[in-house]
Amino acid sequence: MKYLHNIGVYFLMIKDMFRKPTKWSVMRTLIFKDIDDLIINSLGIVAFISFFVGGVVAIQTSLNISNPLIPKYLVGFATRQSIILEFAPTFISIIMAGKVGSFITSSIGTMRVTEQIDALEVMGINALNYLVFPKFVALTLYPFIISIAMFLGVLGGLAACVYGGYGTLEDYIEGIQTDFIPFHIIYAFAKTLVFAFLLATIPSFYGYYMKGGALEVGKASTTSFVWTSVVIILANYFLTSLLLG
């Protein structure tokens, strides 16, 4: 029953997030601040992970192709498919659930502990709109991060393949271009937008409705990461079945 209660409160929170909006002059400042905190500050870790994981995928694919009848361009093809379909949209989102999700939960949870949220409500401000809606708007730019992850993942695979001696530049580029289906990009970004919504709202839910003190803020951050990751994986399964099945 506790889980059903939390699901109901979560959807009520989403409804209230759009109610009684904060005036635009204030909201604009909050949105730009959240873009800096959630998007810009995440570029470094996303770029680093994407480049080297792309290299690992290329190396693993090359090492597992021992049959001389299998064309060498398959390394580029497999790297492209792995990065675009799953790694960039899904696994980067799980990493972001740890970085961005924990930040959102801890920042809102700290405001709850220090009674700043109570102060907002006393002043007649819709605290959910004030705190959660800017994060929702900021994370609509999340596909920008995923596009960078895709590019650097493929580039990392290229660097590992060519400079590691696992293949030629021509073979890798041929593999990238082989049987390319544009809908796969649409599929990846469709998943990304759903994941962005989950990244903005689930951690906010655990931060906004937490109770206790500083210790409970840490527990709420851990819980939000776990459940955000679980929901992202479940959403990934259903979206894959729906869009590619």
Side-chain angles (χ1 to χ4, degrees):
M1 292 300 294
K2 178 183 177 182
Y3 294 122
L4 292 176
H5 171 76
N6 286 342
I7 292 171
V9 173
Y10 171 73
F11 283 107
L12 289 174
M13 183 199 77
I14 293 173
K15 179 178 73 79
D16 291 339
M17 180 177 73
F18 297 98
R19 185 178 56 83
K20 195 180 177 183
T22 307
K23 62 180 181 179
W24 172 245
S25 59
V26 176
M27 182 61 68
R28 180 178 56 196
T29 304
L30 295 172
I31 290 172
F32 283 131
K33 181 180 182 302
D34 282 330
I35 288 174
D36 184 57
D37 290 337
L38 306 180
I39 302 296
I40 304 301
N41 289 344
S42 300
L43 290 176
I45 185 67
V46 169
F48 177 80
I49 293 173
S50 299
F51 184 83
F52 285 100
V53 169
V56 169
V57 171
I59 292 172
Q60 292 281 14
T61 304
S62 178
L63 292 176
N64 283 281
I65 298 176
S66 57
N67 192 328
L69 297 177
I70 299 177
K72 292 296 183 182
Y73 69 77
L74 186 62
V75 175
F77 175 80
T79 303
R80 183 201 72 199
Q81 293 296 94
S82 300
I83 295 295
I84 290 178
L85 291 177
E86 282 306 317
F87 170 74
T90 305
F91 291 101
I92 288 294
S93 295
I94 293 174
I95 293 168
M96 292 287 280
K99 183 186 184 302
V100 171
S102 296
F103 173 80
I104 292 174
T105 302
S106 60
S107 60
I108 297 178
T110 301
M111 293 184 69
R112 172 63 74 185
V113 169
T114 56
E115 299 181 349
Q116 296 179 55
I117 294 178
D118 296 332
L120 289 172
E121 293 172 346
V122 166
M123 290 187 292
I125 297 172
N126 180 1
L128 283 171
N129 181 263
Y130 185 87
L131 295 173
V132 183
F133 185 74
K135 294 171 176 55
F136 165 72
V137 174
L139 282 169
T140 57
L141 297 177
Y142 186 54
F144 170 69
I145 287 183
I146 298 304
S147 63
I148 291 176
M150 291 178 182
F151 172 75
L152 290 176
V154 174
L155 185 65
L158 172 65
C161 188
V162 174
Y163 293 107
Y166 297 100
T168 65
L169 176 64
E170 292 75 16
D171 286 338
Y172 189 86
I173 292 177
E174 181 184 355
I176 293 174
Q177 297 173 338
T178 300
D179 294 334
F180 176 69
I181 301 174
F183 179 74
H184 286 171
I185 300 293
I186 298 174
Y187 157 78
F189 283 126
K191 288 203 304 184
T192 298
L193 288 172
V194 174
F195 297 160
F197 179 79
L198 297 174
L199 285 170
T201 54
I202 295 178
S204 297
F205 168 80
Y206 280 100
Y208 189 84
Y209 292 105
M210 65 145 291
K211 297 178 181 179
L215 180 63
E216 281 71 24
V217 173
K219 291 181 179 178
S221 297
T222 303
T223 304
S224 76
F225 166 66
V226 171
W227 280 108
T228 304
S229 301
V230 167
V231 175
I232 284 174
I233 291 171
L234 289 174
N236 180 51
Y237 175 81
F238 288 113
L239 287 170
T240 301
S241 300
L242 180 66
L243 297 176
L244 294 183

